[in-house]
Amino acid sequence: DAGITQSPRHKVTETGTPVTLRCHQTENHRYMYWYRQDPGHGLRLIHYSYGVKDTDKGEVSDGYSVSRSKTEDFLLTLESATSSQTSVYFCAISATGTKDEQYFGPGTRLTVT
Amino acid sequence: DQQVKQNSPSLSVQEGRISILNCDYTNSMFDYFLWYKKYPAEGPTFLISISSIKDKNEDGRFTVFLNKSAKHLSLHIVPSQPGDSAVYFCAASVGGTASKLTFGTGTRLQVTL
């Protein structure tokens, strides 16, 4: 199994509060991704990173920001959480971003009340 | 606008029989396709991929078929085993890369004894 951990695994927060999810990898892979999974939508890309301090937006980036100050860590921040951001969040990594598969972390279940 | 569609939310197959999971796409720029399997409370795991220059790729019990003219791909699992019971996602990307993936909504496969 690829060495990917996500923290926290579960979180309940109130509308309007900031939330940061962490993804940590031990594989030294260059590419890292944040997805959200919702019923009827599958997985949707929020943001991705192709190197330290290099990030780009995905399909559903509004309301989210990311940071990557070290190869091993990719942080996803909800500046002011809303109920529509209640979801399961997955981090993924890949070595080259070309024809290699992405390895996914175990997920974080976030509930915004 | 769902660019990758899995129209069957669920499928039930007897152990030992063939499972066929289908996926349709609308974006003609997609040229790399992947299948992922997901168990409850875990992240998706990569199964098999296919480039648009091929029409078939096989890996053990898993075969993916691509029909570019119909914008359709399918995953065949032969023989099906109870451990194959999971949600299966197809995903697609542009430019021959596996970086920015667009996922389908998933098909839940149940393999019965």
Side-chain angles (χ1 to χ4, degrees):
Chain A
D1 288 345
I4 311 169
T5 57
Q6 293 184 230
S7 58
R9 294 293 314 278
H10 301 270
K11 185 169 183 67
V12 179
T13 192
E14 292 184 349
T15 298
T17 59
V19 176
T20 295
L21 308 183
R22 180 184 183 231
C23 177
H24 178 78
Q25 60 143 329
T26 58
E27 305 296 321
N28 201 35
H29 281 1
R30 179 182 173 190
Y31 286 76
M32 298 185 76
Y33 313 82
W34 277 107
Y35 292 88
R36 59 178 289 175
Q37 184 192 4
D38 304 288
H41 289 281
L43 287 91
R44 292 179 292 175
L45 181 65
I46 305 171
H47 281 280
Y48 69 102
S49 169
Y50 45 95
V52 173
K53 292 185 170 39
D54 292 322
T55 65
D56 203 351
K57 295 179 179 180
E59 179 187 355
V60 290
S61 59
D62 287 348
Y64 301 95
S65 62
V66 290
S67 66
R68 191 167 177 202
S69 59
K70 298 185 290 184
T71 298
E72 58 266 35
D73 289 326
F74 193 31
L75 304 180
L76 177 71
T77 297
L78 291 67
E79 301 290 348
S80 178
T82 67
S83 59
S84 65
Q85 294 176 310
T86 291
S87 187
V88 181
Y89 291 86
F90 289 99
C91 173
I93 64 173
S94 65
T96 66
T98 57
K99 285 191 174 65
D100 62 323
E101 61 267 26
Q102 295 181 18
Y103 298 95
F104 284 79
T108 294
R109 181 173 294 277
L110 176 67
T111 302
V112 184
T113 61
Chain B
D1 178 30
Q2 194 74 28
Q3 297 186 65
V4 178
K5 302 177 184 179
Q6 295 177 256
N7 292 318
S8 297
S10 63
L11 175 68
S12 183
V13 172
Q14 275 191 323
E15 181 181 11
R17 301 287 187 113
I18 183 171
S19 294
I20 300 176
L21 296 96
N22 294 304
C23 180
D24 297 296
Y25 61 96
T26 57
N27 187 343
S28 58
M29 299 297 291
F30 287 144
D31 57 7
Y32 191 61
F33 305 89
L34 308 91
W35 284 94
Y36 281 82
K37 177 170 74 172
K38 185 183 181 302
Y39 293 118
E42 295 183 11
T45 55
F46 170 76
L47 266 180
I48 192 168
S49 62
I50 187 166
S51 168
S52 60
I53 62 174
K54 295 185 176 181
D55 53 20
K56 176 183 173 181
N57 189 26
E58 194 171 351
D59 183 1
R61 297 187 297 115
F62 302 92
T63 302
V64 56
F65 296 91
L66 176 62
N67 182 333
K68 290 186 289 295
S69 61
K71 294 190 178 68
H72 176 83
L73 64 155
S74 61
L75 175 69
H76 292 211
I77 306 173
V78 183
S80 301
Q81 299 174 354
D84 296 330
S85 296
V87 177
Y88 289 78
F89 292 97
C90 69
S93 69
V94 175
T97 75
S99 56
K100 295 180 72 173
L101 296 178
T102 300
F103 282 82
T105 53
T107 295
R108 182 178 303 278
L109 172 66
Q110 183 172 8
V111 179
T112 59
L113 299 174

